[in-house]
Amino acid sequence: MKRTFLGEFEEIVLLTVAILGEEAYGVTVTQELEQKTGRSVGFSTVHTTLQRLEEKGFLASQMGGATAERGGRRKRFFTVTAAGRKALVEVKQVREELWGALPPQTLQLMGG
Amino acid sequence: MPLKPPLLADRFLKFFCAPHLLEEVQGDLHEEFEYQVKHVGVRRARWRYWLDVLGFFQPRYIKRKPSQYPQTYLFSLNMLRNYFKIALRSLQRNKVYTSINLLGLSLGMTCGLLIFLLVKYHLSFDNFHAHSDRIYRIVTEQHRDNISYVSAVPSPLGKVFRNDYTFAEKVGRICTFEDMLISIKAEKGLNKFKEPQGVAFTEPEYFAIFNFPLSVGSFQNALNEPNTGIITERIARKYFGNTNPINQIFRLDNKLDIRVTGVLKDLPTNSDQKAEIFVSYPTLKSYNDWLGSDDAWGGIQSSMKCFVRLRPGVSPSEVEKVFPAYVKRYRPTSKNVHHYKLQPLNDVHFNAQYGGAMNKQTLWILSLIGLFLIITACVNFINLATAQALNRSKEVGVRKVLGSLRGQLFWQFIAQTGLIAAIAGGIALGLAALALPYVNQWFATEISLNLLTDWRLVAFIPALILIVTFFAGSYPGLILAGFQPILALKGKLSQQNIGGFNTRRALIVVQFSISQVLIIGMIVIARQIYYAQKADLGFNKDAIMLLPIASTPQQAKTVKAQLQSLAGVEQVSLCYSAPASNGHWQTAPHYDNHSEEESFRVSVRAADNDYLATFDLQLAAGRNIYPSDTVKEFLVNETFAKKLNVASPSDLLGKNLRVNGNMTGPIVGVVKDFHDHSFHEDINAVCIPSASDFYNNYAVKISTANVPATMAAVEKTWSKMHPDQLYEYTFLDEHIASFYETEALMLKLIQLFSLIAVFIGCLGLYGLISFMAAQKTKEIGIRKVLGSSLAQILWIFGKEFARLIVVAFLVAAPIAWWFMNQWLQDFKFHITIQPWIFFVTIAITLLVATLTVIYEATKAALVNPVKSLKSE
């Protein structure tokens, strides 16, 4: 079975978009990521990743209406597509399978 | 008030970011900036903004969204191929046009190429020695009533300077005697050679300064012992063939036997150090006792050069400060005449004062002429191409309708020009290779055209082609590209749309101005040389042979007697030199009972009593000297009297004269002035004593009947008397002509250049006339219908060209007059620039111009008006 490949960062970004729901665009995704993971991410990196996910079909985007802040410039909102959801589920399944296969004593050793 | 993100960063983003992404990216960035300002402060927010903007500088954001319409690109391979194909076709169709352009451009480029080679060659002189920026030659300024410059120094100077000071890393003395006789014992008899570049008595340190490597032997012991020497590989082959030259013996000037202790690699051609035989310096003492001694401070022999390489950081002015002390210590009796200076090595080749071979100014002028010729060739191209532009209007129209951009049409034309320029460049290279031997002969250079080793040349040719392409192609290219497609397709374009008729007129004027300046220059130089050679020099120079005296004074008298007895020999005189010669034997005279020496210098022309008769010198007062072997009596010239401010030459008679320290006697006669040097110099004061020790030449006046037989007899007599010498002779008139070698070369060059300039100018004229003929087709038709005669129509053209040439002449005449007047100032005796020179110039130009246009003009005038008026 051919699996969709999701990079680690791509996965996190995709998840963040899913969390944010209707409000997901460049700035919110970046800030959410920084708060949740505590790591500083480059603005352009997030942007590029969003675009790449859209090209892969995991995200869809549309331009929002004119805004009052940011000089009246419109925002591009991202939503997770069906394929995106499927990819997230698959990734989660793989993780869980792997965790399940972990011998119990190893789990104990890791302090779990 | 909200804070603004850095303006420059924002602009940069706007510049590189694709328009369809800009809005969201910039919006997000701004929002993030505001957020960051609140959280981390302005400074860090601005810093982060910059980083973020730079983060977007990647292909994903730079790449523009493809437009929905197909785009035309300026360069596409298919179109380029098409450009060249069309270019070739149109060149093939317009054969006359193509060949005129090719001819003009390749001639211009050939000259450019050759001049480039020549300039490059001269600039490369002696640039291959280590630390050449620290190498200097010690030279002497002699301050008397005027300053004279000598590239030599008293022989002991180098030695004391080396011992007394630490300024120099190396001090090397070299004393070169030109035209030395070398003889080598062969199986039978002697092999005799004359080396024009001479033999140099050299200290080993000379070779530590100059980079001339040995192939056999080492400098440590090659030049130390007396009577040893080193030679170049070329000389070794010439003298000893294939035998090992080491320890072979050659004889110098029938005086010294020299043993070869080393062989030098052949010297590079781009060096002013020309001697190929080097003899150890200690040998000099036995060759010339005075020069080789440590106290020869009395005078300067021009053969004695001294080179130094200074330590790093030592400035030449610092060194020059210590020299006056030497003058005081070693020359206490003579007034402070000698001023020793350091001349940088890179000045040696260019400084004419110290006998530099090539004037930098000449190189500049040559480069300028080369540039002018290339410009005229390009101007021509522009002229012809714009004249031809109408013929291509249909093509341009079709291309534009099919979507060509202006830029593409421009590049298409540039491609065509590039093709012509490249072919012309190839032809120029071939022509240059053919002409190079002549150039080398004229300039006495050894330039080679080697594309494999000479990267400068390899870079120059494409650069030249490129420059010519753009210079010649841009203007017509712009005009072609600017055609309106509708007018072009309808054939409604008139010459007005092409415009620039006045530009083209101006270009023609420029071309003809250049040509006429050159023509005037050519005539003036030719006249001056003719004048210098034909004017009365004050003595007879025809049919006089000069032979060297190579034996003792007693033997010389025997030879003279034998020569005199030959049939066909009219007179023989033993003399130091001919009345006019390049030699400078000058000394300050002591006249009468004056206590001090005079302030002027007198040329000593020692000669026997037959001198006057042989050279037809006229006496103004007194009588000839009586035969004598030693100095008994003097003849002087009229200038001598003038410099002494004596009222009448006869007042000098009987007065005592002392020159050269020890030559003394009464003045018995005054000869009329004669030119004792070239016309570059004033007539000097001259004295003629008899002094057989100083005679160098037999001057043999022969009758003009049966010259070959007389010459053969002279040679036979001379050779019989000097079995160990090499026979050589010069004719006096040839010797005098050699004073003007530079001028003769200049004449040849300017003849060539003006020929080329006129030729290229005529090509341009031809372009203009064909252009005019096309423009005036209708006008001529109407005129003919209304009854114009052929002559009247021809005059339409004639008027135009006569006007252009006259304007060009008005520009050229003052420029040429000024330049040639400057040039003539070099001569103390020169012609005046007369009006007829200008008349001849304009007549020649008009004639050539008429010949150029007459065919096209007649053709245009003879067209049947029915044909020219029919199509509308």
Side-chain angles (χ1 to χ4, degrees):
Chain A
M1 172 184 154
K2 186 186 168 250
R3 294 210 161 147
T4 349
F5 176 75
L6 264 184
E8 192 260 355
F9 192 67
E10 284 178 339
E11 185 191 336
I12 296 177
V13 169
L14 194 53
L15 267 173
T16 318
V17 172
I19 294 167
L20 286 169
E22 300 279 287
E23 276 302 308
Y25 64 99
V27 179
T28 49
V29 174
T30 314
Q31 288 171 1
E32 182 77 13
L33 257 174
E34 281 187 354
Q35 280 164 18
K36 284 276 155 60
T37 63
R39 68 189 202 190
S40 157
V41 289
F43 205 62
S44 51
T45 327
V46 176
H47 253 270
T48 316
T49 313
L50 286 170
Q51 287 201 353
R52 205 179 295 136
L53 286 170
E54 188 179 5
E55 279 161 23
K56 285 183 180 174
F58 297 145
L59 288 177
S61 76
Q62 68 213 40
M63 297 301 277
T67 53
E69 67 272 29
R70 52 191 262 165
R73 295 188 185 85
R74 292 173 299 164
K75 300 167 181 170
R76 179 178 293 277
F77 290 108
F78 290 90
T79 46
V80 182
T81 59
R85 276 194 292 276
K86 201 176 151 214
L88 277 176
V89 171
E90 267 174 21
V91 170
K92 188 167 173 259
Q93 271 175 4
V94 171
R95 296 270 157 108
E96 275 170 359
E97 272 168 30
L98 286 172
W99 279 103
L102 207 63
Q105 58 269 46
T106 320
L107 204 59
Q108 273 167 357
L109 277 176
M110 291 164 74
Chain B
M1 181 189 127
L3 280 155
K4 283 264 165 66
L7 194 68
L8 199 63
D10 233 21
R11 282 214 186 128
F12 181 55
L13 181 74
K14 228 180 233 169
F15 164 71
F16 73 77
C17 191
H20 67 285
L21 293 173
L22 184 67
E23 183 178 0
E24 45 170 313
V25 168
Q26 206 181 13
D28 282 3
L29 276 169
H30 278 216
E31 194 180 331
E32 172 78 4
F33 175 75
E34 261 172 58
Y35 171 83
Q36 292 292 345
V37 167
K38 280 180 210 139
H39 281 78
V40 297
V42 183
R43 257 175 57 93
R44 288 183 61 188
R46 289 170 71 91
W47 178 235
R48 277 187 72 139
Y49 191 87
W50 261 109
L51 282 183
D52 284 336
V53 166
L54 290 180
F56 281 104
F57 192 66
Q58 45 177 294
R60 180 179 288 275
Y61 295 95
I62 297 172
K63 219 164 100 184
R64 267 55 176 165
K65 196 164 79 171
S67 139
Q68 69 188 97
Y69 306 107
Q71 287 235 318
T72 22
Y73 293 101
L74 265 185
F75 291 101
S76 79
L77 209 58
N78 288 330
M79 286 314 284
L80 275 181
R81 209 172 331 144
N82 174 274
Y83 295 162
F84 279 105
K85 188 181 272 176
I86 298 293
L88 271 179
R89 282 184 191 162
S90 86
L91 292 183
Q92 273 171 0
R93 199 171 52 230
N94 301 311
K95 287 205 177 65
V96 178
Y97 165 81
T98 311
S99 44
I100 288 180
N101 272 333
L102 272 180
L103 207 61
L105 280 180
S106 48
L107 267 180
M109 286 165 93
T110 309
C111 291
L113 198 60
L114 286 173
I115 289 172
F116 171 79
L117 285 172
L118 192 72
V119 171
K120 189 175 72 73
Y121 172 78
H122 281 291
L123 290 182
S124 76
F125 257 69
D126 282 312
N127 65 355
F128 51 87
H129 308 295
H131 309 295
S132 58
D133 54 324
R134 287 194 268 125
I135 301 178
Y136 293 84
R137 179 166 73 180
I138 308 183
V139 294
T140 310
E141 285 178 11
Q142 302 194 72
H143 293 240
R144 290 197 177 85
D145 49 348
N146 52 9
I147 302 178
S148 62
Y149 300 86
V150 193
S151 62
V153 286
S155 58
L157 180 74
K159 187 175 174 187
V160 294
F161 181 67
R162 173 164 43 210
N163 293 341
D164 296 350
Y165 295 100
T166 57
F167 292 124
E169 286 176 349
K170 299 282 173 200
V171 179
R173 288 182 284 173
I174 177 166
C175 187
T176 313
F177 292 96
E178 286 165 5
D179 283 322
M180 192 87 99
L181 180 77
I182 307 280
S183 36
I184 289 156
K185 278 209 188 81
E187 278 158 27
K188 39 185 179 179
L190 282 173
N191 282 340
K192 285 171 280 184
F193 303 95
K194 203 123 203 189
E195 288 305 326
Q197 304 295 359
V199 172
F201 295 90
T202 318
E203 293 183 322
E205 282 202 34
Y206 172 85
F207 290 98
I209 298 173
F210 290 100
N211 174 25
F212 299 126
L214 277 175
S215 61
V216 185
S218 86
F219 288 120
Q220 251 128 42
N221 42 33
L223 279 175
N224 288 331
E225 286 170 53
N227 298 336
T228 58
I230 55 180
I231 54 180
T232 60
E233 287 170 349
R234 189 185 77 84
I235 295 285
R237 273 193 305 278
K238 182 173 162 191
Y239 288 179
F240 306 115
N242 289 327
T243 47
N244 180 10
I246 298 292
N247 289 332
Q248 296 280 0
I249 307 283
F250 61 88
R251 194 168 175 77
L252 211 62
D253 221 11
N254 291 323
K255 280 186 194 159
L256 299 167
D257 281 323
I258 307 294
R259 186 168 57 86
V260 178
T261 52
V263 180
L264 280 172
K265 292 219 170 74
D266 281 341
L267 307 184
T269 55
N270 56 343
S271 172
D272 282 316
Q273 312 298 322
K274 291 286 187 211
E276 292 189 79
I277 302 170
F278 298 89
V279 178
S280 68
Y281 195 81
T283 322
L284 179 60
K285 190 128 180 85
S286 31
Y287 182 74
N288 185 325
D289 186 35
W290 176 76
L291 210 55
S293 75
D294 280 345
D295 43 41
W297 286 92
I300 296 179
Q301 187 112 22
S302 59
S303 50
M304 184 77 222
K305 319 275 190 210
C306 180
F307 290 91
V308 298
R309 189 172 73 217
L310 300 182
R311 288 185 190 285
V314 175
S315 81
S317 56
E318 208 177 322
V319 179
E320 282 169 0
K321 272 187 214 135
V322 307
F323 288 137
Y326 283 136
V327 181
K328 263 200 199 106
R329 193 184 328 159
Y330 294 111
R331 298 171 51 87
T333 51
S334 36
K335 296 172 194 167
N336 185 23
V337 169
H338 283 192
H339 294 250
Y340 308 120
K341 303 280 174 201
L342 290 184
Q343 181 191 25
L345 182 64
N346 60 18
D347 188 52
V348 167
H349 188 64
F350 300 108
N351 193 335
Q353 275 179 337
Y354 292 115
M358 180 45 95
N359 207 330
K360 266 209 172 136
Q361 203 190 347
T362 316
L363 288 186
W364 276 113
I365 293 176
L366 275 179
S367 313
L368 211 64
I369 290 182
L371 194 70
F372 271 146
L373 289 178
I374 292 179
I375 289 178
T376 37
C378 288
V379 162
N380 245 349
F381 184 91
I382 297 173
N383 257 337
L384 287 170
T386 38
Q388 284 277 321
L390 266 194
N391 299 348
R392 303 188 68 170
S393 63
K394 285 254 160 60
E395 182 195 337
V396 172
V398 170
R399 277 182 189 275
K400 281 206 156 182
V401 165
L402 290 180
S404 277
L405 301 174
R406 259 173 188 239
Q408 282 178 305
L409 287 166
F410 177 74
W411 285 110
Q412 184 207 348
F413 192 77
I414 290 285
Q416 181 175 343
T417 315
L419 199 67
I420 294 183
I423 298 174
I427 297 176
L429 196 61
L431 283 178
L434 287 179
L436 202 58
Y438 299 99
V439 173
N440 276 333
Q441 196 187 342
W442 285 7
F443 288 92
T445 53
E446 289 165 53
I447 303 171
S448 58
L449 187 84
N450 194 337
L451 282 173
L452 293 178
T453 56
D454 193 347
W455 65 268
R456 282 196 188 84
L457 180 65
V458 174
F460 179 75
I461 295 171
L464 182 66
I465 291 174
L466 214 63
I467 290 171
V468 165
T469 303
F470 277 92
F471 188 72
S474 335
Y475 179 69
L478 282 176
I479 284 181
L480 268 182
F483 280 165
Q484 297 239 353
I486 295 180
L487 290 181
L489 278 177
K490 273 191 174 168
K492 281 258 173 86
L493 274 182
S494 73
Q495 294 294 342
Q496 270 74 32
N497 298 73
I498 299 178
F501 191 51
N502 277 331
T503 324
R504 252 159 286 150
R505 274 189 183 135
L507 293 176
I508 291 282
V509 168
V510 170
Q511 281 184 330
F512 271 86
S513 301
I514 295 174
S515 312
Q516 294 190 44
V517 168
L518 288 171
I519 292 176
I520 293 172
M522 177 177 85
I523 299 176
V524 170
I525 295 176
R527 288 300 305 168
Q528 173 64 21
I529 293 182
Y530 183 80
Y531 168 70
Q533 289 180 352
K534 297 289 174 224
D536 181 16
L537 299 176
F539 61 89
N540 169 43
K541 64 182 169 64
D542 297 324
I544 292 180
M545 292 171 75
L546 296 171
L547 314 175
I549 294 180
S551 48
T552 63
Q554 281 315 309
Q555 283 171 319
K557 273 169 89 171
T558 324
V559 177
K560 178 183 171 184
Q562 291 192 358
L563 287 172
Q564 267 170 329
S565 68
L566 293 174
V569 172
E570 293 180 351
Q571 290 284 350
V572 180
S573 166
L574 299 173
C575 56
Y576 168 73
S577 70
S581 91
N582 276 329
H584 276 263
W585 177 12
Q586 292 193 326
T587 167
H590 289 265
Y591 173 69
D592 202 14
N593 47 9
H594 295 188
S595 58
E596 290 228 327
E597 61 180 32
E598 303 300 325
S599 65
F600 64 90
R601 298 167 67 69
V602 61
S603 284
V604 186
R605 293 261 187 270
D608 68 2
N609 55 313
D610 287 325
Y611 200 58
L612 297 192
T614 308
F615 291 102
D616 263 342
L617 291 167
Q618 304 298 317
L619 277 170
R623 58 163 176 86
N624 196 357
I625 45 177
Y626 292 131
S628 163
D629 286 339
T630 53
V631 184
K632 287 253 172 60
E633 297 162 329
F634 282 98
L635 291 171
V636 296
N637 67 350
E638 291 169 313
T639 305
F640 188 91
K642 263 177 245 155
K643 293 221 170 170
L644 281 172
N645 286 325
V646 180
S648 149
S650 52
D651 293 348
L652 296 173
L653 300 179
K655 296 284 186 345
N656 201 58
L657 179 64
R658 182 160 66 88
V659 294
N660 223 40
N662 56 5
M663 302 168 95
T664 174
I667 296 171
V668 297
V670 179
V671 290
K672 285 191 179 150
D673 272 343
F674 56 89
H675 288 273
D676 64 323
H677 280 104
S678 74
F679 277 19
H680 289 291
E681 291 176 44
D682 268 328
I683 295 177
N684 289 292
V686 174
C687 68
I688 307 171
S690 55
S692 56
D693 286 346
F694 294 94
Y695 297 159
N696 289 334
N697 289 301
Y698 304 99
V700 183
K701 183 166 170 33
I702 56 179
S703 72
T704 43
N706 208 358
V707 174
T710 316
M711 282 172 64
V714 167
E715 172 170 2
K716 207 171 149 205
T717 310
W718 192 93
S719 302
K720 199 174 72 202
M721 296 302 292
H722 305 93
D724 52 355
Q725 300 286 343
L726 213 59
Y727 177 73
E728 55 188 354
Y729 70 94
T730 47
F731 273 104
L732 182 57
D733 47 357
E734 287 167 10
H735 178 63
I736 288 174
S738 75
F739 295 168
Y740 308 104
E741 262 170 5
T742 330
E743 284 75 20
L745 171 64
M746 209 160 148
L747 180 64
K748 272 193 229 163
L749 283 182
I750 203 165
Q751 276 172 337
L752 187 73
F753 285 142
S754 46
L755 201 70
I756 292 176
V758 168
F759 182 72
I760 295 179
C762 286
L763 293 184
L765 208 57
Y766 183 81
L768 196 69
I769 180 90
S770 28
F771 171 71
M772 262 179 78
Q775 188 191 27
K776 291 190 186 287
T777 319
K778 294 248 159 67
E779 182 190 328
I780 293 169
I782 293 168
R783 278 178 191 275
K784 284 189 92 167
V785 169
L786 295 178
S788 265
S789 69
L790 180 66
Q792 280 168 325
I793 289 172
L794 282 180
W795 180 237
I796 300 175
F797 295 102
K799 197 169 58 183
E800 171 76 21
F801 291 114
R803 206 169 57 188
L804 291 183
I805 286 173
V806 167
V807 171
F809 175 76
L810 291 180
V811 176
I815 297 177
W817 182 84
W818 189 82
F819 269 114
M820 292 329 288
N821 220 25
Q822 291 293 313
W823 183 80
L824 285 174
Q825 296 312 311
D826 258 6
F827 292 88
K828 290 283 189 278
F829 300 89
H830 59 79
I831 56 166
T832 49
I833 303 178
Q834 285 157 331
W836 68 261
I837 293 177
F838 295 96
F839 287 126
V840 167
T841 304
I842 196 162
I844 290 176
T845 326
L846 280 173
L847 182 72
V848 174
T850 313
L851 289 178
T852 313
V853 301
I854 194 96
Y855 174 71
E856 277 292 308
T858 317
K859 208 168 76 181
L862 289 180
V863 169
N864 188 345
V866 174
K867 271 187 190 154
S868 58
L869 293 178
K870 184 172 66 182
S871 62
E872 180 60 48

